[in-house]
Amino acid sequence: MPALPSRPLLYTLALPTLLASAIAHAQDNPAARTLDKVTVVAERASTATKTDTALTETPQAISVVTQQLFTDRGAHNLQEVLRYSAGVTADAWGLDTRNDATSVRGLDPVQYQDGLRRSYGFSPLARPEIYGLERVEVLRGPSSVLYGAGATGGIINAMSKRPTFGALNGEVGVQLGSFDRRQLQGDIGGALNDAGTLAGRFVGLVRESNLQTDVLKDDRVYLAPSISWRGERSTLTLLASYQHDKTGSSQQFLPLAATLWPRPDAASTRPPSSAIPASTASTRVCTA
């Protein structure tokens, strides 16, 4: 008596037939409807070519984080904007109010804003206000042909909000959050004449907030007016911004005095370096 085929084999042979029947039923079903198009990524970028080029036509590795995306994520600074971007370590050094320290492909990137370089080596800088940005682009890999001497890992280019030539519209918002965060923000813009050749925009923000580090503030006043003129073949845009921050360094390193050494006002004298075992000193520093 010949052996009967096993059940797994029968299931394997019957699966394509069942799928084909389901697809044909869905196509013939009059109640089926087409879902609305959902765009989850940006479609164009300018950092890789310095032109408005579709991402599908850009032969370089580039990521674009739109304003809608990082707003939905609840980002508060540029480091948080770059989270989840491929090849980027957004919080390379943790909380750091001195600048937005990140790494791209394991190397320190060069930061640009609106195509202009804003960082030269490591130095405390005014961190860009992300409410005034419409997108952030990350170009991975060397790009000296377009930007001159820079980082091998890549560059970060933050693009400011620009006027639009549609109807005048805007928004006003309030933020409340941890560490007594209170923020009032507004964004208004649109066409300024009937001909549609002149448009303006004004972005403003006032914030009072503390930080997770005691005593430090995260207060800011940000004002950014802009105006655009559109001709037959070209567009001229003028951008301006004013930013005033009240904060301090979040890098709270522990001093040698009163940690590894006695306090300066203590009766005992400072011990020689040989009196501190290397392993003990290393452990204490790492713990701090």
Side-chain angles (χ1 to χ4, degrees), residues 66-144:
T66 62
Q67 188 254 345
Q68 183 63 49
L69 181 57
F70 63 72
T71 299
D72 293 341
R73 291 176 178 173
H76 290 158
N77 52 58
L78 187 60
Q79 287 178 306
E80 296 180 1
V81 167
L82 297 175
R83 290 175 178 173
Y84 312 108
S85 297
V88 179
T89 303
D91 303 285
W93 311 105
L95 175 66
D96 192 347
T97 57
R98 297 172 297 178
N99 57 21
D100 292 294
T102 59
S103 66
V104 178
R105 292 184 174 178
L107 301 172
D108 295 334
V110 178
Q111 293 187 17
Y112 287 77
Q113 185 160 356
D114 299 315
L116 300 177
R117 184 166 179 167
R118 66 181 306 272
S119 64
Y120 293 86
F122 180 85
S123 60
L125 295 172
R127 307 172 78 184
E129 173 52 51
I130 64 171
Y131 185 69
L133 303 179
E134 63 180 20
R135 68 183 187 276
V136 178
E137 301 178 358
V138 181
L139 177 62
R140 297 184 292 278
S143 54
S144 58

Side-chain angles (χ1 to χ4, degrees), residues 26-49:
Q27 292 176 347
D28 297 336
N29 187 4
R33 62 187 181 89
T34 302
L35 297 178
D36 296 334
K37 180 181 177 181
V38 177
T39 302
V40 296
V41 295
E43 298 180 352
R44 312 185 72 84
S46 60
T47 301
T49 60

Side-chain angles (χ1 to χ4, degrees), residues 263-277:
R263 299 195 316 271
D265 57 349
S268 59
T269 58
R270 189 184 74 178
S273 57
S274 59
I276 303 176

